[in-house]
Amino acid sequence: MTAPEADALPASYAHGTSTTPLLGDTIGADLDRAIAAYPGREALVDVSSGRRWTYAEFGAAVDEVARGLLAKGVTTGDRVGIWAVNCPEWVLTQYATARIGAVMVNINPAYRAHELEFVLRQAGVTLLIASLAHKGSDYRALVEEVRGRCPDLRETVYIGDPSWDALTAGAVSVPQDRPAVIGAGLSCDDPINIQYTSGTTGFPKGATLSHHNILNNGFWVGRTVGYTEQDRVCLPVPFYHCFGMVMGNLGATSHGACIVIPAPSFEPAATLRAVQSERCTSLYGVPTMFIAELNLPDFASYDLSSLRTGIMAGSPCPVEVMKRVVTEMHMAEVSICYGMTETSPVSLQTRRDDDLEHRTGTVGRVLPHIEVKVVDPVTGVTQPRGTSGELCTRGYSVMLGYWEEPAKTAEVVDAGRWMHTGDLAVMREDGYVEIVGRIKDMIIRGGENVYPREIEEFLYAHPKIADVQVVGVPHERYGEEVLACVIPREAGDPPTLQEVRAFCEGRLAHYKVPTRLSVLDSFPMTVSGKVRKVELRERYAEPAGGRD
């Protein structure tokens, strides 16, 4: 071996090995195993309504909904839409469709008529299960508005309405063993779920996922945080998204743990009340959710001592927030996850005993049975460790494809079955991965590459800033300049641009120092809790001329 080869850094490639094999079951078979092992333990609790199910009761309720769907003519492979906020019926629908091999189509509760119509038509939804209303949206009226343009849609069932009661009552016309008979004939590789990605440009795409994809991902996420039948998992994150239904629901049931629904949608106080009253051991959220909980005026009055772990995902966690989550929320084993809908979702995760720096500076290391690599975005060549490039992932978790869109699938899944994430990443020598930005979010100012995450992390330490998002906006001379959008700690005392620049002076390279500042009350968000940076860029897209 020559000297240069000996000194070369290893490639940015990692493969998660394990002596524990992947699950080869369908979701229904896995649930049956949990029911047999823990029939009397709680499987599902809905705090707002007070309803509770043991595993035995949950299994019976799932089968009742499955038989009700069969009575309405739903067959294996049919698409069943679910357009609802978090509620027990959502969870029952998830497992009931899996029981009979129907493909559940998740529909964002924030969708309006044109988005709803697109999903119903594109997926060919034959039966829709929907909430009655949410945040001023009359779902029944919206369904009626689009029904005539959705030829496949035969019927809509509304949760909390006589039509839901009619669905479950219809189960009596179907033999009790029918779901089990159908389930025995299903393959774990069958498509079972379509999740529409956010789609920052044009209409969203339907990531098609199998039993094998999402059951194993939920299992491994739960195993990594040490779930057992003793755990109670508080889920304020939306079920329509992988965070709720895979990392949450399947992560819990694949280990015999209990799903706790604190409220139909995220409410900081309701979440902490649920943790306290149900003695939850695990809490999920994106960083903005944890920030909202920590900032409650009466935060210190909640007894959160039952918590030991949880999952934070969706965006990077500021160091100061993580410190408070670990100490004040008792989540010493909290885990950071990285993923995307197309990969079921998690590829990288921190471990229970990782230190603070790894939990805030990285998104963890590769999960078992998954491969990751960092490549040059142009050439596709794997980069040396410590060099930035596009993160790619491969393994059981990669989607079957975008529903009926092979050309769009080929744009992101290459011939080697690598999923190209579009995220810029650096793999450290120890295999942990840092996400340094989206390829499309990277700011190029006067030829210098600027990564918003670095500036955001720095500005979180400013005494007047509670939250911050950094985006690139047009500049006539430099191409782009750095805009910091901040939420102040005190509404009446926001930071000025001069104060922010003075805070950065001498501590950040000059080209990274924000040249524009916007003070906001809140950031535009997706329902899953991610900040819509594309909206911030569009809002401030007017070039700033000669400002430097």
Side-chain angles (χ1 to χ4, degrees):
M1 181 179 289
T2 63
E5 289 174 328
D7 294 337
L9 286 171
S12 295
Y13 168 87
H15 174 211
T17 59
S18 176
T19 56
T20 302
L22 289 170
L23 301 175
D25 298 323
T26 62
I27 290 167
D30 186 75
L31 179 60
D32 285 340
R33 186 166 50 244
I35 293 167
Y38 315 110
R41 295 200 68 86
E42 283 191 328
L44 177 63
V45 174
D46 183 47
V47 176
S48 55
S49 70
R51 293 179 288 169
R52 297 171 182 271
W53 290 260
T54 64
Y55 265 92
E57 293 165 342
F58 180 66
V62 166
D63 278 355
E64 181 181 54
V65 174
R67 287 158 55 216
L69 291 171
L70 291 170
K72 287 190 174 294
V74 174
T75 61
T76 299
D78 282 354
R79 272 77 68 203
V80 175
I82 178 82
W83 188 34
V85 293
N86 287 13
C87 61
E89 291 81 2
W90 208 111
V91 185
L92 293 172
T93 299
Q94 175 183 349
Y95 288 83
T97 50
R99 274 269 195 231
I100 61 173
V103 180
M104 185 177 70
V105 180
N106 300 11
I107 304 175
N108 187 328
Y111 276 2
R112 306 300 294 172
H114 75 285
E115 296 157 317
L116 173 66
E117 178 187 344
F118 173 80
V119 169
L120 294 176
R121 288 172 59 89
Q122 206 274 330
V125 170
T126 59
L127 186 143
L128 175 65
I129 296 173
S131 294
L132 285 166
H134 175 59
K135 293 186 176 178
S137 292
D138 181 340
Y139 280 26
R140 196 191 299 271
L142 290 169
V143 170
E144 290 305 315
E145 182 180 336
V146 305
R147 178 189 293 276
R149 300 190 294 275
C150 300
D152 295 308
L153 184 63
R154 299 194 305 259
E155 186 176 355
T156 302
V157 174
Y158 293 96
I159 298 167
D161 176 82
S163 58
W164 176 266
D165 298 331
L167 170 72
T168 55
V172 298
S173 66
V174 176
Q176 288 198 345
D177 66 347
R178 186 63 184 150
V181 171
I182 294 172
L186 300 178
S187 165
C188 66
D189 293 317
D190 290 338
I192 201 64
N193 184 215
I194 299 175
Q195 299 201 29
Y196 282 84
T197 59
S198 300
T200 52
T201 58
F203 282 106
K205 301 178 289 291
T208 307
L209 304 169
S210 67
H211 295 269
H212 195 65
N213 288 148
I214 61 178
L215 174 59
N216 275 289
N217 206 254
F219 171 81
W220 281 104
V221 167
R223 184 180 173 90
T224 303
V225 293
Y227 283 163
T228 71
E229 73 277 8
Q230 303 292 329
D231 281 291
R232 299 173 68 80
V233 186
C234 184
L235 297 176
V237 293
F239 289 153
Y240 94 89
H241 188 267
C242 270
F243 201 170
M245 68 158 284
V246 178
M247 299 157 68
N249 294 345
L250 289 170
T253 60
S254 61
H255 295 279
C258 179
I259 298 163
V260 176
I261 306 173
S265 56
F266 176 63
E267 298 173 29
T271 300
L272 297 189
R273 282 197 302 271
V275 170
Q276 176 176 276
S277 65
E278 295 297 326
R279 306 307 294 157
C280 294
T281 59
S282 177
L283 173 62
Y284 286 19
V286 297
T288 51
M289 290 180 175
F290 285 98
I291 290 168
E293 291 155 7
L294 290 163
N295 286 345
L296 286 171
D298 61 346
F299 169 78
S301 70
Y302 293 95
D303 178 5
L304 308 178
S305 59
S306 60
L307 288 173
R308 70 164 179 87
T309 189
I311 292 175
M312 200 181 299
S315 58
C317 179
V319 173
E320 294 306 313
V321 175
M322 179 60 76
K323 286 180 182 176
R324 293 190 65 193
V325 166
V326 169
T327 58
E328 298 173 43
M329 299 183 83
H330 307 282
M331 295 169 61
E333 298 177 11
V334 65
S335 182
I336 299 294
C337 288
Y338 165 87
M340 60 192 306
T341 304
E342 291 90 339
T343 56
S344 304
V346 179
S347 303
L348 301 156
Q349 186 172 354
T350 60
R351 299 326 198 243
R352 297 162 69 182
D353 57 352
D354 280 341
D355 59 26
L356 179 69
E357 194 283 327
H358 278 87
R359 287 180 183 166
T360 55
T362 80
V363 290
R365 54 189 169 91
V366 67
L367 282 180
H369 304 291
I370 290 175
E371 299 170 271
V372 293
K373 65 178 179 178
V374 176
V375 304
D376 183 301
V378 177
T379 66
V381 173
T382 303
Q383 300 283 67
R385 294 199 181 189
T387 305
S388 69
E390 183 180 18
L391 180 66
C392 299
T393 182
R394 179 169 69 177
Y396 74 83
S397 59
V398 175
M399 65 176 179
L400 300 178
Y402 292 125
W403 183 259
E404 295 189 340
E405 293 194 277
K408 288 185 177 178
T409 302
E411 290 174 6
V412 295
V413 181
D414 66 24
R417 287 294 294 167
W418 285 98
M419 175 75 204
H420 290 250
T421 68
D423 282 324
L424 288 166
V426 174
M427 184 179 291
R428 297 180 176 183
E429 288 193 55
D430 63 5
Y432 281 74
V433 174
E434 302 172 36
I435 301 297
V436 296
R438 292 286 291 170
I439 290 175
K440 64 185 178 186
D441 285 347
M442 184 177 72
I443 302 167
I444 304 176
R445 181 189 183 277
E448 299 277 6
N449 291 349
V450 178
Y451 302 104
R453 165 78 199 279
E454 178 189 358
I455 305 170
E456 290 162 357
E457 191 66 50
F458 179 78
L459 290 178
Y460 274 117
H462 192 287
K464 289 188 176 183
I465 294 175
D467 206 352
V468 56
Q469 295 292 320
V470 169
V471 295
V473 289
H475 187 279
E476 290 179 0
R477 185 188 311 168
Y478 296 113
E480 287 186 292
E481 64 177 335
V482 178
L483 163 68
C485 300
V486 305
I487 296 174
R489 288 192 182 276
E490 302 290 338
D493 187 25
T496 65
L497 177 61
Q498 290 72 25
E499 288 173 329
V500 169
R501 288 177 62 82
F503 185 76
C504 298
E505 208 66 45
R507 300 165 74 189
L508 283 180
H510 73 91
Y511 61 86
K512 300 177 184 176
V513 177
T515 51
R516 293 176 66 180
L517 178 74
S518 176
V519 178
L520 302 172
D521 296 325
S522 63
F523 298 131
M525 309 284 279
T526 67
V527 170
S528 58
K530 292 184 180 181
V531 176
R532 283 183 48 79
K533 285 197 171 186
V534 64
E535 192 169 320
L536 291 174
R537 285 195 296 270
E538 290 169 353
R539 188 183 299 180
Y540 302 102
E542 190 65 32
R547 192 191 288 120
D548 90 345

